[in-house]
Amino acid sequence: QQQVKQSPQSLIVQKGGISIINCAYENTAFDYFPWYQQFPGKGPALLIAIRPDVSEKKEGRFTISFNKSAKQFSLHIMDSQPGDSATYFCAASETGGGADGLTFGKGTHLIIQP
Amino acid sequence: KAGVTQTPRYLIKTRGQQVTLSCSPISGHRSVSWYQQTPGQGLQFLFEYFSETQRNKGNFPGRFSGRQFSNSRSEMNVSTLELGDSALYLCASSFRSSYNSPLHFGNGTRLTVT
């Protein structure tokens, strides 16, 4: 059972454009939502994370929007650059603990065209 | 500060053999988690260790096991290897529980089972 659904699977954006990746979750007990960035040959690296008590969090060009009632959250990359080309994973977990650790989405392969 | 170190980077094993993977967490981190990454299933949680105790285990068969030592270093063992075990195995460390503190991933061990 996939508890975090991520879309799109792949995305091509022109340099300077806005990249948008969406995730939806099912488990209402989830209360920690991080995004990870992975380059080929490397492990995932934490980009930004949000908790459900806020609707938006911004760090530089990266913004997470969170909609608790819809059980959805999204990553926006403003002014996308070729160096942002990577695979992005959303994830979710229960702060109180759970058997599944971090539950990851299947990933979005982002390509920024120069 | 040195990052998470995983050894070896690549392994080729034959069906039926067993394998041990090693992970050295970031200094001061007491939690070590293991994830399996495959193109089809994405990132899946294997287990988490905290202060030498297994806290949680994902939905994997008993052939997958691990342990953590007093210096927080961790090993993962897979016995009776199957072709489907071919994957990138990622180790991640965090200061506290992995549920709500940032996970720092290593670059993984690429296991190929022939």
Side-chain angles (χ1 to χ4, degrees), chain A residues 12-92:
Chain A
I12 299 175
V13 175
Q14 295 296 314
K15 178 183 176 182
I18 302 173
S19 303
I20 301 173
I21 304 170
N22 300 298
C23 285
Y25 63 98
E26 299 165 6
N27 186 349
T28 55
F30 285 154
D31 59 0
Y32 176 63
F33 303 90
W35 284 87
Y36 283 82
Q37 178 189 56
Q38 186 176 28
F39 293 105
K42 301 291 186 181
L46 178 67
L47 257 183
I48 186 172
I50 197 169
R51 297 191 185 280
D53 53 343
V54 297
S55 60
E56 186 175 282
K57 183 175 181 180
K58 184 176 179 179
E59 289 185 4
R61 296 185 294 109
F62 301 91
T63 300
I64 299 180
S65 298
F66 185 82
N67 186 328
K68 188 174 181 178
S69 61
K71 292 187 287 184
Q72 295 176 346
F73 58 111
S74 60
L75 176 69
H76 289 61
I77 306 174
M78 312 300 288
D79 187 26
S80 299
Q81 299 297 312
D84 298 330
S85 297
T87 300
Y88 292 80
F89 295 92
C90 61

Side-chain angles (χ1 to χ4, degrees), chain B residues 7-73:
Chain B
T7 56
R9 284 298 310 273
Y10 302 93
L11 265 178
I12 300 176
K13 290 286 187 179
T14 304
R15 237 179 341 173
Q17 288 186 315
Q18 76 166 22
V19 66
T20 299
L21 313 181
S22 181
C23 172
S24 293
I26 291 173
S27 178
H29 285 192
R30 297 166 63 189
S31 170
V32 173
S33 302
W34 288 87
Y35 287 80
Q36 182 194 65
Q37 186 174 24
T38 59
Q41 298 300 317
L43 283 149
Q44 292 186 287
F45 173 71
L46 280 157
F47 29 65
E48 179 189 6
Y49 287 86
F50 187 86
S51 294
E52 302 179 66
T53 301
Q54 186 180 89
R55 296 188 66 162
N56 284 301
K57 184 175 167 66
N59 189 25
F60 278 83
R63 300 184 296 106
F64 292 82
S65 63
R67 60 177 176 169
Q68 187 180 31
F69 302 96
S70 58
N71 61 359
S72 293
R73 191 177 69 85

Side-chain angles (χ1 to χ4, degrees), chain A residues 32 38 43 51 93 95 98 102, chain B residues 35 37 56 99-100 103 106-107:
Chain A
Y32 176 63
Q38 186 176 28
R51 297 191 185 280
S93 68
T95 303
L102 269 179
Chain B
Y35 287 80
Q37 186 174 24
N56 284 301
Y99 306 123
N100 61 0
L103 284 183
N107 290 329

